[in-house]
Amino acid sequence: MANDSKIVPVPVLRRMPAYLSFVKTLQKQGEKYVSSTRIAEYMEIDATQVTKDLSHTGISGKTRVGYEVDNFVEILDDFLGFNKMNNAFLVGAGSLGGALLQDKGLRNFGLNIQKAFDVDKSKIGTKINDVEIFHIDQFRGMPTECNVAIGIITVPADCAQAVADLMVAWGIKAIWNFTPARIKVPAHIAVQNSTIYTNLAILFNKLHGQE
Ligand SMILES: NC(=O)c1ccc[n+]([C@@H]2O[C@H](COP(=O)([O-])OP(=O)(O)OC[C@H]3O[C@@H](n4cnc5c(N)ncnc54)[C@H](O)[C@@H]3O)[C@@H](O)[C@H]2O)c1
């Protein structure tokens, strides 16, 4: 049975895309059912953890056979919001911003970067992967006009707060912040900070911890 609360613990949400990816692989191989034990073995975690995590989604399995693969993929895609397109604006079309604009995979996860913004005159009016780059001065009014609630920040860290303030002032409701700056926003704005460098520090620590 689905858990009534819509707030799902972050560690659960971090595991779910891996469950989905695994079951999608099985789907491609033509498998019809998957058990929580099989998912647990793949994830190297306890099967009760898998069942508990999936109870948030409303997916129900059958005794002995497990979860029906097609149904699992459909429900989890829906639960994670990957099958509904969310439009976003990206600010800072530099090397990281450009790479995100090039990444066609984001659309598979429900994120469509509709427009990009920058201050570099040589970039204004150009396109990366069909996404036009506008001057940041044109940002105001655009989120409401284009029905865009998500802002992606890929500017140098010292400009991140000013960009976040601009986004909030013009109706952005959720910010995906790739800069190392810790931006301050009103409590109703959702912020997710993402950095590959933290993962690198963890990897280095694991590597050198074994020496
Ligand atoms: N999260 C991660 O894993 C990760 C990885 C790489 C870089 N970063 C961070 O991402 C940010 C961008 O890095 P990069 O290597 O792409 O830098 P970059 O210099 O290549 O790109 C930055 C872009 O922002 C533009 N810009 C500067 N000020 C602006 C403003 N006020 N408004 C709009 N655009 C503005 C610049 O013209 C440039 O195009 C940095 O903060 C960096 O630390 C994070």
Side-chain angles (χ1 to χ4, degrees):
M1 203 180 72
N3 190 323
D4 283 345
S5 168
K6 282 193 170 174
I7 300 294
V8 180
V10 172
V12 178
L13 285 175
R14 287 196 199 283
R15 285 188 288 273
M16 281 182 175
Y19 298 169
L20 181 59
S21 158
F22 176 57
V23 178
K24 276 186 175 172
T25 308
L26 299 180
Q27 188 182 38
K28 273 195 199 132
Q29 291 164 357
E31 304 230 13
K32 296 291 171 217
Y33 288 94
V34 60
S35 66
S36 52
T37 315
R38 190 152 172 214
I39 298 171
E41 275 167 10
Y42 169 76
M43 294 290 294
E44 298 182 337
I45 58 174
D46 205 272
T48 52
Q49 181 73 70
V50 175
T51 328
K52 203 171 150 209
D53 288 354
L54 292 173
S55 71
H56 291 276
T57 67
I59 296 174
S60 58
K62 288 184 190 157
T63 325
R64 282 193 295 276
V65 281
Y67 304 99
E68 207 249 312
V69 164
D70 290 346
N71 184 252
F72 185 107
V73 168
E74 197 182 318
I75 292 184
L76 208 53
D77 249 338
D78 187 49
F79 182 80
L80 294 171
F82 293 162
N83 62 357
K84 204 176 74 199
M85 207 47 84
N86 294 275
N87 288 321
F89 284 165
L90 178 141
V91 178
S95 77
L96 178 62
L100 290 173
L101 291 168
Q102 291 287 1
D103 179 17
K104 292 195 173 75
L106 284 175
R107 287 185 63 86
N108 297 334
F109 289 91
L111 191 78
N112 173 47
I113 306 178
Q114 208 187 73
K115 290 180 175 29
F117 297 84
D118 207 290
V119 286
D120 183 343
K121 287 198 177 75
S122 67
K123 293 178 181 166
I124 313 303
T126 64
K127 287 185 179 178
I128 297 177
N129 198 17
D130 276 343
V131 180
E132 186 166 351
I133 303 169
F134 294 83
H135 193 276
I136 191 69
D137 289 348
Q138 294 172 274
F139 189 90
R140 53 181 56 208
M142 285 251 204
T144 320
E145 204 178 293
C146 303
N147 195 24
V148 168
I150 301 174
I152 304 171
I153 307 185
T154 46
V155 294
D158 55 0
C159 315
Q161 187 62 52
V163 169
D165 293 345
L166 181 77
M167 286 181 168
V168 173
W170 293 100
I172 290 293
K173 300 279 182 282
I175 296 178
W176 196 5
N177 173 34
F178 282 88
T179 79
R182 284 296 169 262
I183 52 171
K184 307 278 180 274
V185 293
H188 67 279
I189 305 291
V191 175
Q192 182 63 44
N193 300 304
S194 285
T195 169
I196 48 174
Y197 302 127
T198 305
N199 291 358
L200 199 56
I202 296 168
L203 184 70
F204 286 160
N205 189 264
K206 283 181 179 169
L207 173 71
H208 301 305
Q210 287 170 355
E211 284 171 356

